[in-house]
Amino acid sequence: TPVIMTQSAAVVGGGKIYQAEGDNAHDNPNDNEEADGGSPLAVAEVVPSIPNLIQEIQLSVSSLSTVNRRLTQQTWKRAVFDPMTPNQYASVIRAVTIEFDQPDLAAALAPAVRGGNFTHEYVIAAIRAVSEWLRTPMIGKLLPSCTDLEEHSGKILSQLSDWERVCTQQNFRDALQRWS
């Protein structure tokens, strides 16, 4: 998303933006002429990085829409999602200000992390990153994407309380059946 900076405001969005010079300026993105008295402002692309993704999530109205948009961009896939570590994954989840949205965002990211090699380490990082009341919904959302669940389900289970194990028992059964 281009970011437009002026002395008094920043505008996030696409298209050509004109700085007003008199009353004739307009913001028609399809108009390439500058005869209206306006001059185009500088446009800077957001550099794909974990800190920039976190900032975008924190500033967005819909963190899930922001992440979904970035997931479609190859430069972001290569620079951010493919090399994402479990700690970075947890940091991205924690950046979501509306806690209720954290499991959905984590689930949306899971298939893109390490090119689809979403392991138990990411599941553990995610459940450690969220509030206690979100741990079981997080497990339910992430287990279907966990590529090494058969080998390492015990490591995930060891992070859960007895009650969380009871609550997620069916999630584990379903996900393990999917991978076998």
Side-chain angles (χ1 to χ4, degrees):
T1 301
V3 177
I4 314 302
M5 299 295 293
T6 66
Q7 290 179 349
S8 62
V11 178
V12 178
K16 191 181 286 188
I17 305 296
Y18 289 88
Q19 182 174 6
E21 291 180 10
D23 294 331
N24 299 346
H26 60 82
D27 60 27
N28 184 347
N30 298 320
D31 190 357
N32 292 327
E33 297 179 26
E34 296 179 26
D36 61 1
S39 59
L41 297 175
V43 175
E45 285 294 326
V46 177
V47 176
S49 70
I50 295 289
N52 286 344
L53 178 63
I54 288 171
Q55 185 175 25
E56 282 189 328
I57 289 169
Q58 290 170 335
L59 297 174
S60 71
V61 174
S62 170
S63 55
L64 188 56
S65 295
T66 298
V67 166
N68 282 333
R69 186 178 73 252
R70 292 303 186 197
L71 287 169
T72 64
Q73 298 169 340
Q74 289 303 313
T75 55
W76 280 81
K77 278 186 172 181
R78 283 190 302 274
V80 176
F81 304 117
D82 285 347
M84 186 177 280
T85 67
N87 286 336
Q88 291 169 330
Y89 181 69
S91 295
V92 170
I93 293 168
R94 278 192 295 270
V96 178
T97 53
I98 300 172
E99 283 187 326
F100 184 78
D101 292 340
Q102 289 174 338
D104 289 332
L105 182 127
L109 276 176
V113 169
R114 287 180 50 192
N117 189 20
F118 185 80
T119 63
H120 72 284
E121 296 162 322
Y122 292 89
V123 176
I124 292 170
I127 60 175
R128 288 179 178 171
V130 297
S131 297
E132 190 174 325
W133 69 277
L134 284 172
R135 289 166 51 95
T136 54
M138 185 68 78
I139 290 286
K141 297 272 185 176
L142 296 183
L143 287 183
S145 297
C146 185
T147 58
D148 64 351
L149 187 60
E150 270 189 301
E151 302 88 31
H152 298 289
S153 60
K155 291 181 181 179
I156 298 169
L157 287 166
S158 72
Q159 301 294 312
L160 304 177
S161 69
D162 290 340
W163 180 244
E164 289 170 332
R165 278 189 223 112
V166 169
C167 293
T168 59
Q169 189 174 23
Q170 188 63 46
N171 299 116
F172 275 92
R173 261 192 242 123
D174 293 345
L176 285 167
Q177 187 175 15
R178 178 179 177 261
W179 287 107
S180 39

